[in-house]
Amino acid sequence: LIDKEFRKELSSHLKTYSREKGIFLKQNYVNPEHVHALINLPTKISIEETMRLLKGESSHWVNERINFKFQWRRGYGAFSVSESQISKVVNYIVNQEKHHTKKSFEDEYKEFIKLYNIL
């Protein structure tokens, strides 16, 4: 797990890299074991390519700065969000630290999978 200051640096790096690649990263938050990102996906880049770029570059960036081998786990979740829900999603992402004091990522993930009948 990476510490809070380093996660802030990584978040900033993701924003900069996204701009360079034409990916419209509206908001992100790097948790110790996962990342939330609200992306306005450009039409010329697929979700798969976007995730490959972001995960690959961020892994490379982290590995240049730490003293152990870092890599993201396989896979990702991608969900569409209606324009009317953008501010709610941004608020959810911004408040991740507070949110996960009440509910772990694993518990929330399991609830989400069950609630939306995924898998």
Side-chain angles (χ1 to χ4, degrees):
L1 300 178
I2 52 181
D3 70 42
K4 189 174 182 176
E5 286 306 310
F6 192 78
R7 290 186 284 129
K8 285 180 184 178
E9 290 178 44
L10 177 54
S11 175
S12 179
H13 176 72
L14 284 169
K15 288 177 191 174
T16 300
Y17 179 74
S18 294
R19 273 192 304 272
E20 291 170 3
K21 292 297 180 185
I23 299 167
F24 309 111
L25 180 60
K26 291 180 164 245
Q27 187 68 52
N28 79 79
Y29 187 87
V30 179
N31 287 287
E33 71 288 320
H34 68 285
V35 175
H36 285 276
L38 178 60
I39 298 171
N40 188 349
L41 195 65
T43 56
K44 65 182 180 180
I45 305 175
S46 69
I47 294 170
E48 180 181 19
E49 178 68 5
T50 299
M51 295 310 301
R52 187 188 67 74
L53 288 168
L54 294 177
K55 289 174 80 172
E57 167 58 22
S58 60
S59 291
H60 177 75
W61 186 88
V62 169
N63 280 311
E64 287 184 333
R65 287 157 180 77
I66 61 173
N67 195 21
F68 66 89
K69 175 82 171 115
F70 173 83
Q71 68 181 37
W72 295 109
R73 293 176 77 177
R74 286 184 44 201
Y76 56 86
F79 306 93
S80 62
V81 177
S82 67
E83 191 66 34
S84 65
Q85 297 299 306
I86 296 291
S87 61
K88 185 176 181 179
V89 173
V90 167
N91 188 48
Y92 170 76
I93 292 171
V94 168
N95 290 301
Q96 280 293 291
E97 186 172 16
K98 181 180 176 184
H99 176 75
H100 284 303
T101 62
K102 298 174 187 170
K103 188 181 296 184
S104 74
F105 170 69
E106 285 188 20
D107 289 343
E108 181 177 38
Y109 180 75
K110 287 175 186 173
E111 282 181 20
F112 187 86
I113 295 298
K114 186 175 180 180
L115 179 65
Y116 294 101
N117 209 18
I118 300 171
L119 299 176

